[in-house]
Structures are given as C-alpha cells and as structure tokens.
Amino acid sequence: MSDRTTPEGDRTHDLIGIGLGPFNLSLAALADGIPTTPGRQPLTTAFYEQRPAFHWHPGLLIDGATLQVPFLADLTTLADPTSPWTFLNYLRTRDRLYPFYFAEQFHIHRAEYDAYCRWVSEQLPTIHFDHHVDAVSWNPGHQLFEVEHTHRGPHGQAHGRTRTRHIALGVGTAPFIPEPLRPLAEAPGVPVIHSADYLHHREGLLKADHITVIGSGQSGAEIFLDLLRARPRGIERIHWLARTQAFAPMEYSKLGLEHFTPDYTHYFHALPEDVRDTLVPQQWQLHKGIDTDTIAAIHDELYRRTLHGGWPDATLTPGVSVRTAGRLSGAGNRIELHLEHTQQNTRTRLTTDAVVLATGYRERPLDTLLTGITPHIRRDTRGRPRIHADFRLDLDPAVTGNIYVQNAERHTHGVGAPDLGLAAWRSATILNHLTGATPYRLPSRTAFTTFGLSPRTTPAVPGQGTPLTPLAQGN
C-alpha cells in the first residue's frame, strides 16, 4: 500500500476535502474515478484528516448499539448502488454476505459501521491522515484556493501548501457541554465527562458509588442502559436526568421519516429564514428522541429487577435542568448539582460521584478555519453563512471557486443535515455541481408527502398525482 499520509505532489487539485468523518468519506468514495467532464481525466482530489486513522465515535461503540438508519444509508448506495465502496461490497470482500443475509439485520451495529468506514478510508488513495489544515485562503491571481497544512510524520512535522479549485468542509461537530458544567468538565481529575468519551472512562465510572447521566437522547439512553446492566441489583445508584418533558421515542413512522428525504430538504431550503429558525427546534423528536427498542430494553431491565420484590435504585426524572454545579469541599471529587424542575417550579440538590453528559453536539464554527475567506462569506440576518441548495457557501463573486459544506447547514437545509441517510445524496449533489455534469443521476422525487402548497418544481409524472393550481389571492 502506498504512503497514506503524503499528498500527491504540488499539482493543482479539483477538490480538497478538509476533515474525514462519514460525510467527506462519502464524498471521497463517490469522487473516486469520476471524470471532471466526459472524455477528460478523473477528478484530482485529496482529503486531509488530522487523526492518524478513521474512527467514528469510538467512545460510543457500546456492545450491541446499532445505527438508527438502515445499512443502505452507507457511504454510496443511495447515490450509486454499483459503487465498489458500498457496505454490501465490504461484506463481500470479507466473505460475510451469507452470514449477513441470514442475520436479517436491517440496522447494523455501530462497531460494524465504524469498521466498514475504516475499510473504505484505508483503500482510497486520495485520503491523507496525520494532516492538520492550518489555514485556507483565496489567491485572486491564480483564481485558486490555497490550503496550508502540517503533516505530522514519524520524522517530525512538515509544512505544505496545496492549491485547489474547490473545497469541501467536513470538519463535523464538537461535543457540547452546558455552561453550568463546563468548569467541572474542564477541571483535571473531576469525573464529569461527555458521552463522546464514555467507553474510555467506563471502567472508572462503574467504580463510582453514584452516577448521574444527563441527556434524554439516544446516547443518554444507551449509556444509562449499559450502566444499569453492569450495576448490582438493588444498589444501582443511578440518576438519569433530562430537560425534555419526557423520555420520548424518536419519530420513526414511515411518513415521519420522509423529513429525511431530498424532497423535504428542498422544501425547507426554500422557506423564509425566520420560518426555518422556528421549525428546527420544534422538530427535535425527529432526531433527538430514543428508538423504541432502547426504551423497551430499559423498561425490561428495570422490570426484571423488581421480580423478587423492591424497586431498583435508579431514578429517571425528565423536565429537569441543571442551574449550577460544583465540587463539595472536603468530599474528594464528589459533585453537587443544583436542579430545577420547570413544571413544578421547584429546586433541589443532588450529590453524585460521577456525571456523564449526553448533551449532544454542536456544529463547529467555520470562521476559525476560513479566516482568510471570512470577508467574502455572505451571511443571513443572524450572522450565519448563507448556503445554496447545492451546499455551496454563498461567496462574493470575486471568489470564483466553491466551498461546499457537509453537516454545517442545519439552519438552511433542516434536520437532515447530520443524518447518514442523506450523505450519499448530498455528496452526489456536490459532485454533480462541481463537474458541471451528471456523474450521478439523482431521483426527481423521493417522498410520498408533498411538502407545501406550491407545485412541484420537478415535472409531473403521469399517474402520480395532479399538480396543485395556486389559489387566487384573497380566496
């Protein structure tokens, strides 16, 4: 295998990808081998990742935890099922197609998805690990972007600069720590950790006398269940707290899932900015709830612990926010949480020995990396980057290259931005725009739901409904 950490010379690239999570890995896989235009050479691309290898949420690869999307939501299938980088082809190379066939698993284990993505990342020659991107600038003389990077190799660091016509940002999200708990989480030796690091600290957490899990999403539920199963019956000593008014199931009905289709993404993007901003927080149950199997497993485990009388020492309380938090003086690393119940308007204190923050992730700000481009980025009324329907940043016309973004566009594209099921479609959309051709034919319709009263922008298909006629004003 060739050196996976050194870019290919100093030639000008068509596309540089920055960051390598599943979304830019999908882009790299679909870009592999496609031409810029018919009859021309394939795209020249490079993808830089500062880590030494691909890992997808390693702190949350809990035994038995599965993806919340079907295996078809891999890196390429929903744009090109004939790609060599599909999950099914990964199984074929491992002689595991028949075992998978008989396992009848529509939702695969997270650890298997992680292994599949790592397999792809190890095969693609355009991916370069141990590369930290230091800055991005626009060179108006050459009409190219310049990407400055540092390669951390076995013999020290080497600085380089690569020129490219276009950029794809896939820097991902960062763990979110609520402000009241930030000082404790940042203090050395205090057992307050984010769920992203759960498995790295699991052994130490299990030794704690009392554990508190904060957060009502899937990660919080999986961690609570894992801790519950590992604690002795009757002395579990676990609290599970959440701001939401219930430990609610994720919306997983078939029509509800159509919010994660290209059709809904197009509809959402066309809405006024203030309407989009109102919608996103209202749709939390589409992506922040708990899958019903996990809820059932938690209830089953709690019920099993009542079979011989008594109740488990586990407290599950929704509707609670943490006002302040601190270390108890003279009590080692014990932590005191000051809680408020929003419906009762009551307050109390909880003393605990360890806290796991399943408080989600936030999009990383783009301006940190794009300091040299910042004056050219057009923004909305709240100062956020404006992003076109084809995932391009809205830039000043003086910048003739494009900067595409992945999972940084929830405010313009809706709840599907972080969803793995839209990864291949978004990557194909980017590549179709970048090449000015159609290397990937994308469907004109993807949902039975018609979002909005405006006629569809795609041609009507005979037998698939009649376009709406707009009502006269005032009717």
Side-chain angles (χ1 to χ4, degrees):
M1 184 179 295
S2 62
D3 181 2
R4 304 302 317 291
T5 62
T6 305
E8 301 173 6
D10 297 325
R11 61 178 173 173
T12 296
H13 288 67
D14 295 304
L15 177 68
I16 292 291
I18 302 174
L20 196 73
F23 297 137
N24 257 2
L25 184 57
S26 166
L27 186 63
L30 286 172
D32 181 46
I34 68 169
T36 52
T37 56
R40 292 186 59 186
Q41 294 297 314
L43 284 174
T44 55
T45 67
F47 290 80
Y48 298 151
E49 168 56 48
Q50 63 182 349
R51 296 172 299 175
F54 183 94
H55 291 289
W56 183 71
H57 296 304
L60 281 171
L61 300 180
I62 300 170
D63 285 346
T66 60
L67 288 185
Q68 293 172 275
V69 293
F71 74 89
L72 291 173
D74 63 15
L75 301 173
T76 62
T77 292
L78 292 177
D80 180 11
T82 68
S83 165
W85 308 116
T86 64
F87 176 72
L88 289 179
N89 194 45
Y90 161 73
L91 292 178
R92 185 187 66 84
T93 65
R94 296 293 193 267
D95 291 331
R96 295 180 59 226
L97 270 175
Y98 272 93
F100 180 74
Y101 168 56
F102 291 119
E104 297 184 347
Q105 292 179 348
F106 201 49
H107 293 80
I108 63 175
H109 290 109
R110 286 186 192 167
E112 187 166 30
Y113 179 78
D114 175 61
Y116 153 66
C117 288
R118 189 157 44 256
W119 170 76
V120 175
S121 73
E122 291 169 351
Q123 305 301 313
L124 288 172
T126 55
I127 292 172
H128 309 288
F129 294 109
D130 283 318
H131 275 74
H132 180 271
V133 172
D134 304 305
V136 177
S137 60
W138 174 251
N139 186 322
H142 291 90
Q143 294 289 288
L144 295 169
F145 292 105
E146 294 184 343
V147 179
E148 298 181 28
H149 48 79
T150 301
H151 172 212
R152 300 185 179 98
H155 305 295
Q157 296 186 352
H159 300 281
R161 176 182 297 170
T162 306
R163 289 177 174 173
T164 181
R165 297 177 180 86
H166 308 288
I167 288 173
L169 293 178
V171 294
T173 56
F176 172 72
I177 298 175
E179 197 58 40
L181 289 150
R182 188 176 300 277
L184 291 176
E186 294 175 349
V190 179
V192 176
I193 66 163
H194 192 273
S195 58
D197 298 316
Y198 170 66
L199 286 183
H200 308 315
H201 296 272
R202 182 178 183 272
E203 184 176 346
L205 288 168
L206 289 174
K207 295 177 182 178
D209 183 55
H210 184 277
I211 308 171
T212 300
V213 179
I214 299 175
S216 63
Q218 183 69 18
S219 296
E222 289 174 352
I223 289 170
F224 175 79
L225 178 60
D226 185 61
L227 291 171
L228 180 64
R229 285 171 169 169
R231 304 283 274 189
R233 181 179 300 175
I235 51 173
E236 295 85 359
R237 295 186 57 74
I238 309 175
H239 266 68
W240 184 16
L241 308 175
R243 288 191 306 168
T244 55
Q245 300 308 313
F247 295 105
M250 186 173 294
E251 168 56 68
Y252 210 74
S253 66
K254 289 179 171 58
L255 290 179
L257 288 175
E258 290 195 340
H259 286 84
F260 299 97
T261 59
D263 279 10
Y264 183 76
T265 302
H266 289 311
Y267 162 77
F268 185 92
H269 187 272
L271 293 172
E273 177 188 330
D274 60 334
V275 177
R276 296 198 304 253
D277 288 342
T278 301
L279 267 178
V280 169
Q282 293 176 352
Q283 296 175 327
W284 66 270
Q285 210 165 337
L286 288 170
H287 60 104
K288 290 185 178 181
I290 308 167
D291 74 57
T292 55
D293 288 343
T294 305
I295 291 177
I298 289 172
H299 191 275
D300 288 348
E301 183 65 28
L302 291 169
Y303 176 73
R304 186 177 65 83
R305 291 169 182 252
T306 70
L307 296 182
H308 303 290
W311 288 70
D313 187 6
T315 303
L316 295 71
T317 309
V320 173
S321 60
V322 178
R323 294 173 48 248
T324 59
R327 296 169 66 176
L328 284 175
S329 59
N333 282 329
R334 299 210 80 194
I335 300 156
E336 185 174 85
L337 305 175
H338 294 199
L339 309 178
E340 180 174 14
H341 195 283
T342 52
Q343 292 181 348
Q344 289 181 325
N345 194 27
T346 54
R347 295 181 177 181
T348 190
R349 299 179 182 183
L350 172 65
T351 300
T352 188
D353 296 286
V355 178
V356 181
L357 301 172
T359 46
Y361 299 79
R362 295 291 185 275
E363 294 174 358
R364 286 191 170 94
L366 303 180
D367 291 344
T368 304
L369 186 61
L370 299 179
T371 302
I373 311 293
T374 296
H376 301 288
I377 299 175
R378 293 177 169 176
R379 302 180 183 273
D380 63 17
T381 60
R382 295 176 58 179
R384 300 166 299 192
R386 286 164 49 184
I387 302 172
H388 294 285
D390 48 23
F391 304 98
R392 289 177 297 133
L393 289 181
D394 189 357
L395 299 174
D396 186 279
V399 180
T400 56
N402 295 308
I403 299 178
Y404 302 94
V405 296
Q406 303 229 55
N407 196 12
E409 72 281 4
R410 184 179 296 180
H411 63 291
T412 56
H413 288 67
V415 293
D419 189 75
L420 293 175
L422 285 173
W425 169 76
R426 176 171 50 198
S427 295
T429 299
I430 290 171
L431 291 169
N432 285 354
H433 180 269
L434 185 152
T435 60
T438 311
Y440 294 105
R441 185 181 67 83
L442 297 176
S444 60
R445 182 172 181 177
T446 55
F448 291 112
T449 305
T450 300
F451 298 102
L453 292 177
S454 299
R456 289 186 178 274
T457 56
T458 54
V461 179
Q464 291 192 4
T466 304
L468 293 171
T469 301
L471 298 174
Q473 187 172 358
N475 285 2

